[in-house]
Amino acid sequence: MPILVTGATGTVGGSLVRQLVSTGHDVRALTRDPASPAATALPDRVEVVAGDFARPHTLVAALRGVTRMHLVAMDGYGPLTTGAEILELARQAGVRRVTHLGHNDPSRADDDPIEAPHRPLHRAVENSGLEWTHIFPGEFMANTREWAAGIRTEGVVRAPFGDWNSALVHEADIAAVIVAALTEDGHAGRVYQPTGPEPVRRRDAVRMIGEAIGRPVRFDELTPEQAREYWKDHYPTEVIEWFLEMGRHPDGSGWVAPDVEQVTGRPGRTFRQWAAEHADDFR
Ligand SMILES: NC(=O)c1ccc[n+]([C@@H]2O[C@H](COP(=O)([O-])OP(=O)(O)OC[C@H]3O[C@@H](n4cnc5c(N)ncnc54)[C@H](OP(=O)(O)O)[C@@H]3O)[C@@H](O)[C@H]2O)c1
């Protein structure tokens, strides 16, 4: 029976698909556009199906014959609002196990304006009647790809908070935790928070990318005001304010969780390794 992977064309989902295929599992990949370059680049053995979370009934065909699925909580930058409906369709189709990749900052209250919109989905997963596992990672190493254009064209990264210290996590480690939760017993009702193995300051991440591509990259630190202006065409206002609010606490994300090593049996990959693997994105 295939494992249904939603978000299969994304950063974590792509790694998840490759890891499942390489360990002999049949994978069905959901995408809104099976003809997109990201979908056509999926491994040959993967069955690609169309479906859109915004219209849950479009997932009915994708769910047929599936007992395990991975749900990415994507709806633009906001939380997935159709999660309860999708999970009910999944239950009716015979799905028994779900991994849920989403957002949660345990240090913030349930009524925090950034956190509150995500909570209904968390509850929907927990009340779905399925064996569930929440995956709430730290900041992705892959987020640094937003610097790629500036590095390629000018050799510069412009961002606020150079001392922001974050245990950036490799997408393959998040995916490895999800593989374990989907394919092994013993993960039901667990909440995993994959992080990287060490905190990395933003200015050090820039330096390591420079080392990976073999030429120095300058870090121009923006003030919060400059960052607002710089990001205004790329992110919604509330997302910018969230980034800035996080950045005001320099050690806010430096916390290293043991989950990757505990679940997968090996330490998380470092940012240096990620930068070497992804150097071509910045060249
Ligand atoms: N970035 C971070 O630092 C961070 C930290 C903690 C948690 N997270 C969580 O990680 C998740 C994002 O993972 P990611 O970065 O791997 O994703 P991503 O690379 O941004 O890719 C998004 C995926 O979601 C799919 N998707 C988007 N809207 C959809 C819709 N309406 N219907 C069906 N599929 C849809 C896309 O598929 P198609 O385009 O092919 O349809 C794509 O595969 C989010 O839940 C986020 O909260 C991220």
Side-chain angles (χ1 to χ4, degrees), residues 14 37 41 61 94 104 128 156 190 209 220 235 242 280:
N104 181 47
S128 62
V156 175
R190 307 293 295 270
I209 292 171
D220 278 0
Y235 301 108
W242 176 39
D280 284 348

Side-chain angles (χ1 to χ4, degrees), residues 6-273:
T6 70
T9 58
T11 305
V12 174
S15 181
L16 175 60
V17 167
R18 288 190 297 277
Q19 292 186 37
L20 286 170
V21 167
S22 72
T23 48
H25 295 280
D26 290 333
V27 174
R28 185 176 291 164
L30 188 92
T31 174
R32 286 165 296 177
D33 181 5
S36 70
T40 50
L42 287 164
D44 288 345
R45 277 189 45 199
V46 173
E47 179 193 0
V48 179
V49 290
D52 186 343
F53 295 150
R55 293 174 294 133
H57 65 275
T58 62
L59 271 71
V60 167
L63 288 163
R64 206 163 286 139
V66 166
T67 56
R68 293 173 287 180
M69 73 177 282
H70 171 65
L71 179 65
V72 63
M74 283 301 286
D75 188 4
Y77 285 104
L80 178 65
T81 51
T82 53
E85 252 178 286
I86 290 168
L87 289 160
E88 177 53 20
L89 288 173
R91 196 190 59 75
Q92 287 171 13
V95 174
R96 291 198 299 271
R97 180 176 291 181
V98 63
T99 50
H100 160 232
L101 171 62
H103 167 84
N104 181 47
D105 181 344
S107 69
R108 290 168 182 266
D110 276 358
D111 60 355
D112 178 280
I114 293 289
E115 301 304 310
H118 295 271
R119 296 296 198 256
L121 177 60
H122 301 178
R123 301 293 94 81
V125 169
E126 291 155 18
N127 296 327
S128 62
L130 309 180
E131 278 180 24
W132 57 266
T133 307
H134 287 310
I135 316 289
F136 296 141
E139 196 178 347
F140 292 5
M141 293 178 180
N143 293 354
T144 61
R145 282 194 298 223
E146 77 176 59
W147 300 338
I151 291 175
R152 277 198 300 263
T153 56
E154 296 179 87
V156 175
V157 170
R158 297 188 177 88
F161 309 120
D163 289 328
W164 168 248
N165 208 17
S166 181
L168 300 171
V169 59
H170 195 303
E171 60 273 10
D173 288 328
I174 304 170
V177 169
I178 298 170
V179 169
L182 283 170
T183 62
E184 300 168 359
D185 290 334
H187 301 285
R190 307 293 295 270
V191 178
Y192 294 128
Q193 297 178 281
T195 70
E198 61 195 4
V200 181
R201 290 187 317 157
R202 187 164 277 162
R203 63 177 83 255
D204 293 331
V206 172
R207 181 178 43 76
M208 285 188 243
I209 292 171
E211 288 163 6
I213 63 174
R215 59 188 167 83
V217 179
R218 201 175 77 227
F219 179 67
D220 278 0
E221 184 156 353
L222 303 178
T223 65
E225 230 10 88
Q226 289 168 329
R228 267 190 198 99
E229 183 60 27
Y230 190 67
W231 283 334
K232 75 175 188 322
D233 296 330
H234 302 286
Y235 301 108
T237 309
E238 62 275 19
V239 173
I240 294 175
E241 293 310 317
W242 176 39
F243 290 164
L244 293 176
E245 157 67 18
M246 283 197 305
R248 285 190 191 96
H249 309 280
D251 286 319
S253 252
W255 176 66
V256 174
D259 302 32
V260 167
E261 187 154 7
Q262 281 177 359
V263 174
T264 69
R266 44 174 189 67
R269 295 154 171 93
T270 62
F271 186 77
R272 190 175 294 285
Q273 182 177 348

